[in-house]
């Protein structure tokens, strides 16, 4: 993980941290100690917020609420029930996390602006409750007299010991956050954020499970931060639930960078000291905070502290153990059966009872004029659209009605007419994310001895796959820097990385040169020979007929012909639909 | 009798909310982005009126209607500034970025007005005077009637602008598809700025109308913005008619539940209603007017 851009950066950060720690412990005035303690609290809050706002890419406005909730849980339990830290702290984490899990089903399936609105309404509701439930929360006056940290009868003194205690939690939080996002789990987040359609339908990543985990994690971190805040301030009021804390948290996250752990910590230190530096502005200093946020968004959307960020993909080349044999999990020999599949869009019947059977290990070509329902068929098969009638089965597994990622995990991968690749991710990582997606998980990485080791293994395997698809040497390039033909090939490599039983290719050769098309066809035949069934949609009948063992022609949403390619192309109905009446009369 | 008076109050409150929500949708449709500073524009309008009142001779400063042109121009300029700093530099970024930049402008406005005017609640003068009109055995608040009339006039003016003028056609074309609009030779940037000006000026007027009966503090922007947002979500994201209907729904809900139970219950109920709508009908009660951007 020592991949700062230059070696000098390796020393800057630990050096600065050491200097600051020395200052905080030995030289800081009581007032400075308090500010540094609060900076630690905010650092923990922001580290948590990075999960949902950074890694999951969802603008939740409830982070301040989870923070305030954690503070109130500690405050209420400590003042009214006399509970100690070892009881209050876990509950301050659990209760916000439980609230997040509870509202997640309603909130997380919403798109950006609705998600922001719903989380905002949630925080207003909790604030309203805190103000009006006076017997428990102390109402607008708040809860005074929150004791310091005491564990099993031992009291932690305030001042420097509390400062050190808070920063120990920041360190624990940072290490945990690093473990969670440094490995394959973090790569899965990036893939979902940058290529959501492909993540589900081409790879089989469960995006909603990722979002849920990010939301609950962010709430847990916020709860911990809130608990420490209550101990530091000794008095809390409903203000801790207000929008003010949310805004500070958002500002810190934008300034520090949404994905950088050192960035989060630096931004927390910087912004808690900002009011001190802006003191000359008197009552305008809060407005100055807004100016700083605005400037950060406009001029440094990736964070002012961007130089601290490891370039996300400047990972070292994996050790040269390439050609480590890919475990050949041969796909199951089953048929893909489509029965009477129908779909209408408004009054338009895009697919009208299509029947189709794909044999394992063979290439089936699918042709048909524009608007004949080819892409609709693919979208129905991969769960991006739901059919009005009919069904699709893989062997005995019912595919219809399943979410995209389950269909992909069952063994059906696809590519898109416009390649859906995660911009800013390397070619290697694009493929690495697609290897055994079912084995990527929060616990695996959090509890692994070395979460980056499994990612390194995936990268090694990805290199082998890339070599296999003629993309060797491009591993370190970013997806969006590839030329068109390579992008399409990369999409196929990614889809093949999961060893699917069937591969569905939607117009893969569009824009190819003749030479590219030919070598692409050879690659497909190799794939089929290794046992992977392929459904190939294309507009070039000669190319499709040349490599397919079965050809299917779709017109007006129904299958009008299927069989051996030469026979199908001779049928008058096919010639009429596909080549037009002119060719028929000319023939 | 109570029912009639409450309905009048609700109608007046709803027409002010409708102005805020309509402004919100104008910007939303033109840019695809949520303007989080919309509530602060309401607050700014109220305080511009309060500040302007102190410059007028006594004979005029009891009439809020005199401040209307000043508020329209002042908040219109604010809208222009908003588009210049919070939208135009970020138009190539994802919509969430604009969300954050308008939050930043909101912070700046809230805290600047706090520093200028203090956090104490203030009131604008009534539009025409604070009397009651007696109609049979009904006693109607003149302020409520004047608020309804002013909002109705502005909404009618907006309707005329959008549907009966060439400029309105350009605005609507931009909202529908900026790429095509540009191809047709429409100056899209200018139309977007105009949408911000109109949207913010409508919100500012709502501030002038609201802040007589309901006192205003510089920190009220957030709640007002949330109400506009809820109105738009209930009415169907991007629909002008839906936004107005949603605003009326919120106002009636608030006024009646607050009278029947209490104000906190009314507010909590509103959030619950929002959750119900988002859960059961994410496309809004009137259906989604703009394509959601995935």
């Amino acid at each position: 993980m020592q991949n700062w851009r230059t070696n000098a950066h390796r020393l800057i950060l630990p050096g600065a941290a050491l200097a600051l720690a020395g200052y905080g412990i030995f030289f800081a005035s009581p007032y400075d100690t308090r500010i540094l303690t609060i900076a630690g609290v905010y650092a923990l809050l922001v580290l948590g917020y990075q999960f949902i706002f950074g890694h999951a890419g969802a603008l939740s406005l409830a982070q301040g609420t989870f923070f305030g909730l954690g503070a109130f849980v500690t405050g209420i339990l400590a003042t009214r029930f006399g509970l100690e830290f070892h009881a209050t702290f876990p509950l301050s984490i659990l209760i916000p996390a439980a609230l997040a899990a509870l509202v997640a089903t309603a909130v997380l399936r919403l798109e950006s602006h609705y998600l922001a609105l719903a989380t905002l309404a949630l925080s207003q509701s909790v604030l309203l409750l805190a103000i009006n439930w006076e017997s428990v929360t102390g109402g607008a006056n708040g809860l005074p007299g929150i004791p310091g940290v005491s564990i099993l009868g031992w009291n932690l003194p305030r001042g420097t010991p509390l400062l050190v205690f808070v920063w120990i939690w920041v360190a624990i939080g940072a290490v945990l956050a690093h473990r969670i996002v440094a490995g394959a789990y973090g790569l899965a987040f990036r893939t979902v954020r940058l290529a959501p359609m492909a993540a589900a339908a081409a790879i089989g990543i469960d995006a909603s499970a990722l979002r849920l985990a990010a939301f609950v994690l962010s709430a847990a971190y916020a709860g911990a931060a809130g608990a420490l805040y209550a101990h530091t301030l000794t008095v809390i009021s409903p203000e801790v639930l207000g929008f003010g804390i949310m805004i500070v948290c958002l500002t810190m996250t934008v300034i520090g960078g949404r994905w950088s752990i050192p960035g989060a910590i630096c931004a927390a230190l910087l912004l808690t000291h900002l009011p001190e530096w802006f003191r000359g502005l008197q009552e305008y200093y809060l407005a100055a905070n807004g100016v700083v946020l605005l400037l950060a968004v406009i001029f440094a959307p990736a964070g002012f502290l961007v130089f601290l960020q490891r370039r996300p993909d400047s990972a070292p080349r994996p050790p040269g153990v390439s050609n480590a044999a890919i475990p050949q999990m041969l796909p199951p020999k089953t048929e893909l059966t489509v029965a009477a599949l129908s779909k209408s869009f408004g009054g338009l019947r895009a697919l009208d009872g299509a029947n189709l059977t794909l044999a394992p290990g063979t290439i089936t070509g699918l042709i048909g004029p524009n608007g004949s329902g080819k892409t609709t068929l693919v979208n129905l098969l991969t769960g991006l659209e739901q059919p009005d009638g009919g069904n699709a089965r893989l062997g005995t597994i019912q595919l219809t009605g399943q979410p995209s990622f389950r269909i992909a995990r069952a063994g059906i991968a696809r590519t898109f007419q416009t390649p859906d690749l995660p911009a800013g991710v390397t070619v290697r990582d694009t493929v690495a994310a697609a290897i055994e997606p079912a084995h990527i998980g929060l616990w695996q990485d959090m509890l692994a001895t070395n979460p980056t080791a499994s990612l390194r293994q995936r990268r090694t395997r990805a290199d082998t796959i890339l070599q296999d698809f003629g993309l060797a040497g491009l591993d370190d390039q970013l997806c969006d820097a590839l030329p068109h033909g390579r992008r399409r090939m990369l999409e196929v490599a990614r889809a093949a990385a999961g060893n699917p039983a069937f591969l569905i290719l939607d117009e893969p050769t569009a824009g190819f040169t003749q030479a590219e098309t030919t070598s692409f066809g050879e690659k497909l035949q190799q794939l089929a020979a290794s046992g992977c069934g392929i459904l190939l949609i294309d507009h070039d009948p000669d190319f499709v007929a040349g490599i397919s063992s079965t050809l299917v022609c779709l017109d007006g949403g129904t299958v009008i012909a299927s069989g051996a390619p030469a026979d199908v192309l001779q049928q008058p109905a096919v010639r009429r639909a596909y080549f037009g009446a002119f060719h028929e009369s000319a023939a | 009798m109570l029912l009639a008076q409450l309905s009048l109050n609700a109608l007046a409150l709803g027409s002010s909310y409708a102005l805020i929500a309509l402004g919100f949708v104008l910007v939303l449709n033109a840019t695809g982005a949520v303007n989080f500073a919309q509530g602060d524009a309401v607050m700014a309008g109220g305080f511009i009126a309060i500040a302007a009142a102190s410059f007028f001779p006594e004979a005029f400063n009891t009439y809020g209607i005199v401040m209307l042109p000043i508020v329209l121009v002042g908040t219109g300029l604010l809208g222009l500034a908003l588009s210049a700093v919070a939208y135009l530099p970020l138009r190539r970024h994802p919509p969430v970025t604009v969300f954050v930049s308008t939050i930043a402008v909101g912070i700046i406005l809230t805290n600047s007005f706090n520093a200028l005017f203090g956090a104490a609640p203030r009131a604008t003068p009534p539009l025409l005077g604070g009397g009651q009109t007696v109609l049979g055995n009904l006693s109607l608040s003149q302020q409520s009637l004047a608020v309804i009339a002013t909002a109705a006039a502005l909404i009618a003016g907006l309707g005329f602008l959008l549907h009966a003028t060439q400029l309105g056609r350009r605005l609507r074309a931009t909202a529908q598809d900026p790429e095509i609009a540009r191809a047709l030779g429409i100056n899209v940037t200018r139309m977007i700025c105009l949408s911000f000006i109109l949207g913010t000026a409508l919100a500012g007027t709502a501030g002038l109308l609201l802040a007589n009966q309901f006192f205003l503090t510089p920190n009220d922007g957030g709640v007002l913005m949330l109400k506009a947002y809820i109105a738009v979500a209930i009415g169907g994201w991007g629909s002008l008619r839906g936004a107005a209907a949603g605003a009326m729904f919120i106002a009636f809900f608030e006024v009646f539940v607050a009278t029947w139970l209490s104000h906190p219950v009314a507010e909590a109920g509103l959030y619950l209603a929002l959750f119900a709508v988002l859960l059961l009908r994410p496309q809004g009660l009137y259906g989604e007017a703009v394509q959601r951007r995935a």
Side-chain angles (χ1 to χ4, degrees):
Chain A
M1 288 300 95
Q2 298 84 9
N3 307 300
W4 316 117
R5 282 190 187 169
T6 67
N7 285 339
H9 283 108
R10 286 191 198 187
L11 297 176
I12 288 179
L13 216 60
L18 214 61
L20 194 64
Y23 166 76
I25 294 171
F26 299 111
F27 303 105
S29 67
Y31 184 74
D32 288 341
T33 306
R34 188 182 158 90
I35 296 206
L36 283 172
T37 312
I38 290 175
V41 168
Y42 275 119
L44 205 52
L45 178 68
V46 173
L47 283 174
Y49 193 50
Q50 286 183 333
F51 287 115
I52 186 73
F53 183 54
H55 298 286
L59 180 60
S60 155
L61 294 176
Q63 186 72 352
T65 301
F66 296 134
F67 176 85
L69 197 58
F72 264 104
V73 168
T74 287
I76 291 167
L77 293 179
T79 58
R80 299 196 194 273
F81 300 92
L83 292 183
E84 291 184 288
F85 184 80
H86 54 264
T88 56
F89 193 61
L91 285 172
S92 291
I93 295 175
L94 275 177
I95 291 175
L99 176 66
L102 188 74
V103 297
T105 31
V107 163
L108 287 183
R109 64 190 182 98
L110 303 168
E111 283 167 51
S112 62
H113 42 255
Y114 283 136
L115 186 117
L117 171 60
T119 48
L120 193 59
L122 172 74
S123 41
Q124 286 294 315
S125 314
V126 176
L127 177 63
L128 216 56
L129 187 71
I131 295 175
N132 290 289
W133 197 10
E134 282 184 32
S135 58
V136 173
T137 62
N141 296 324
L143 283 175
I146 297 166
V149 173
S150 87
I151 302 166
L152 300 170
W154 172 74
N155 289 315
L156 179 82
R158 293 190 177 282
T160 310
L162 182 61
L163 168 73
V164 174
F165 186 73
V166 165
W167 278 92
I168 288 174
W169 283 107
V170 176
I172 294 173
V175 169
L176 205 59
H178 173 74
R179 295 184 69 86
I180 291 171
V181 301
Y185 197 61
L187 179 57
F189 269 118
R190 260 186 289 157
T191 308
V192 166
R193 199 174 65 237
L194 299 166
M197 267 204 307
I203 304 179
I205 297 179
D206 183 357
S208 39
L210 283 181
R211 268 155 85 92
L212 173 66
F215 196 47
V216 172
L217 276 170
S218 66
Y221 271 69
L228 295 170
Y229 191 66
H231 286 301
T232 310
L233 253 59
T234 72
V235 53
I236 49 165
S237 69
E239 215 170 290
V240 294
L241 288 159
F243 200 52
I245 298 220
M246 182 65 241
I247 284 177
V248 172
C249 172
L250 182 65
T251 311
M252 287 176 177
T253 313
V254 169
I255 286 175
R258 290 161 66 178
W259 304 280
S260 156
I261 291 171
I265 295 170
C266 291
L269 282 165
L270 195 71
L271 262 89
T272 37
H273 287 82
L274 213 55
E276 311 303 312
W277 300 334
F278 284 169
R279 206 175 266 168
L281 298 171
Q282 293 172 359
E283 59 266 74
Y284 286 95
Y285 84 86
L286 280 170
N289 258 347
V291 175
V292 170
L293 176 59
L294 187 61
L295 291 176
V297 175
I298 295 175
F299 295 108
F304 269 145
L305 306 169
V306 72
F307 70 91
L308 290 173
Q309 278 175 318
R310 190 161 57 88
R311 272 195 307 159
D313 293 291
S314 60
R317 283 194 70 86
V321 268
S322 87
N323 281 336
I326 306 175
Q328 279 298 329
M329 297 193 310
L330 279 178
K333 299 264 179 215
T334 43
E335 288 185 335
L336 177 61
T337 329
V338 174
L341 213 53
S342 304
K343 176 75 182 175
S344 300
F345 295 103
L348 178 75
R349 278 191 86 71
L351 209 59
D352 196 2
N355 295 301
L356 198 63
T357 303
L358 302 189
T362 61
I363 300 178
T364 305
L366 179 62
I367 58 171
N370 283 326
S372 60
K374 302 188 296 291
T375 296
T376 303
L377 175 66
V378 177
N379 285 347
L380 292 176
L381 277 179
T382 51
L384 292 185
E385 311 260 11
Q386 294 305 318
D388 303 329
N391 67 71
R393 278 178 291 115
L394 178 64
T396 52
I397 307 168
Q398 176 76 27
L399 299 177
T400 305
Q402 302 255 25
S404 269
F405 81 90
R406 287 211 187 283
I407 295 176
R409 283 189 192 183
I412 297 187
R414 68 169 289 179
T415 65
F416 298 86
Q417 271 186 30
T418 317
D420 190 27
L421 294 168
V425 171
T426 57
V427 169
R428 174 190 293 129
D429 278 358
T430 304
V431 174
I435 298 169
E436 293 176 12
H439 292 188
I440 299 178
L442 175 63
W443 301 111
Q444 278 94 322
D445 278 8
M446 217 153 72
L447 304 175
T449 27
N450 182 359
T452 52
S454 88
L455 179 58
R456 239 175 277 138
Q457 278 175 9
R458 284 169 186 283
R459 285 181 172 147
T460 312
R461 284 170 62 180
D463 281 346
T464 319
I465 294 169
L466 287 170
Q467 217 163 36
D468 199 27
F469 280 83
L471 295 166
L474 299 171
D475 331 32
D476 284 322
Q477 293 225 22
L478 299 183
C479 284
D480 34 328
L482 291 187
H484 180 75
R486 303 281 187 164
R487 290 168 65 90
R488 290 207 175 274
M489 193 54 110
L490 175 59
E491 255 213 325
V492 178
R494 176 178 64 187
N499 281 318
F502 284 94
L503 192 54
I504 303 177
L505 306 172
D506 196 358
E507 297 189 15
T509 66
F512 273 17
T513 63
Q514 193 58 49
E516 278 175 324
T517 306
T518 310
S519 78
F520 186 76
E522 284 164 10
K523 188 64 226 167
L524 291 188
Q525 281 171 318
Q526 267 177 41
L527 266 176
S530 73
C532 179
I534 292 173
L535 179 63
L536 173 65
I537 296 175
D538 215 282
H539 271 308
D540 179 351
D542 293 334
F543 168 64
V544 182
I547 64 166
S548 305
S549 47
T550 310
L551 192 60
V552 176
C553 182
L554 211 55
D555 189 30
T558 47
V559 174
I560 56 167
S562 93
D567 298 343
V568 169
L569 287 181
Q570 286 310 316
Q571 289 189 24
V574 173
R575 300 190 68 83
R576 204 164 31 244
Y578 205 69
F579 302 105
F582 169 76
H583 282 269
E584 195 182 16
S585 56
Chain B
M1 286 320 96
L2 182 67
L3 191 68
Q5 262 153 23
L6 284 181
S7 300
L8 184 70
N9 285 348
L11 205 58
L13 185 63
S15 20
S16 305
Y17 283 173
L19 291 179
I20 312 174
L22 287 173
F24 187 91
V25 175
L26 278 179
V27 173
L28 176 73
N29 287 354
T31 63
V34 166
N35 172 15
F36 207 88
Q38 184 73 351
D40 292 289
V42 180
M43 182 274 297
F47 277 93
I48 288 174
I50 290 164
S54 63
F55 289 105
F56 276 92
E58 296 241 350
F60 293 104
N61 69 9
T62 49
Y63 295 107
I65 197 80
V66 181
M67 319 304 169
L68 182 59
I70 300 169
V71 168
L72 281 173
V73 172
T75 47
L77 288 174
L78 180 67
L80 183 63
L82 181 66
S83 63
V85 301
Y87 179 73
L88 294 181
L90 296 168
R91 56 197 304 181
R92 307 256 167 268
H93 292 255
V96 163
T97 320
V98 177
F99 213 119
V100 178
S101 70
T102 51
I103 287 179
V105 172
I107 301 171
I108 299 171
L109 287 175
T110 301
N111 292 298
S112 302
F113 278 84
N114 250 323
L116 284 170
F117 292 90
R122 307 279 284 264
T124 49
L127 287 171
L128 297 170
Q132 301 280 323
T133 297
V134 179
L135 206 75
N137 51 5
L138 265 182
S139 167
L140 301 175
S141 145
Q142 286 177 4
Q143 167 68 6
S144 292
L145 293 171
V147 164
I148 295 168
T150 310
L154 281 175
I155 293 172
L158 180 68
F160 179 80
L161 174 73
L162 286 180
H163 293 280
T165 67
Q166 191 60 28
L167 185 63
R169 269 188 279 277
R170 288 196 192 122
L171 277 170
R172 283 187 295 137
T174 306
Q176 228 163 51
D177 192 330
E179 296 300 316
I180 302 284
R182 199 184 307 268
L184 292 173
I186 295 173
N187 186 336
V188 169
T189 306
R190 195 175 292 168
M191 291 303 120
I192 286 175
C193 290
L194 185 59
S195 303
F196 269 97
I197 293 172
L198 287 173
T200 309
L202 289 174
T205 310
L208 168 68
L209 303 185
L210 278 172
N212 173 249
Q213 201 187 346
F214 308 91
F215 289 75
L216 193 68
T217 81
N219 300 314
D220 287 343
V223 175
L224 289 165
M225 138 78 204
L226 189 54
K227 286 193 180 140
Y229 208 150
I230 294 175
V232 174
I234 289 178
W237 203 242
S239 143
L240 285 168
R241 260 174 235 276
M248 280 299 167
F249 170 80
I250 290 178
F252 272 82
F253 187 93
E254 246 181 52
V255 167
F256 280 88
V257 178
T259 312
W260 177 40
L261 296 166
S262 74
H263 204 80
V265 173
E267 215 177 322
L270 191 59
Y271 302 136
L272 283 179
L274 170 72
F275 281 126
V277 169
L278 289 179
L279 204 59
L280 303 174
R281 256 188 91 79
Q283 71 277 39
L285 296 179
Y286 285 74
E288 187 118 335
V290 288
Q291 281 289 314
R292 265 189 267 170
R293 289 157 206 236

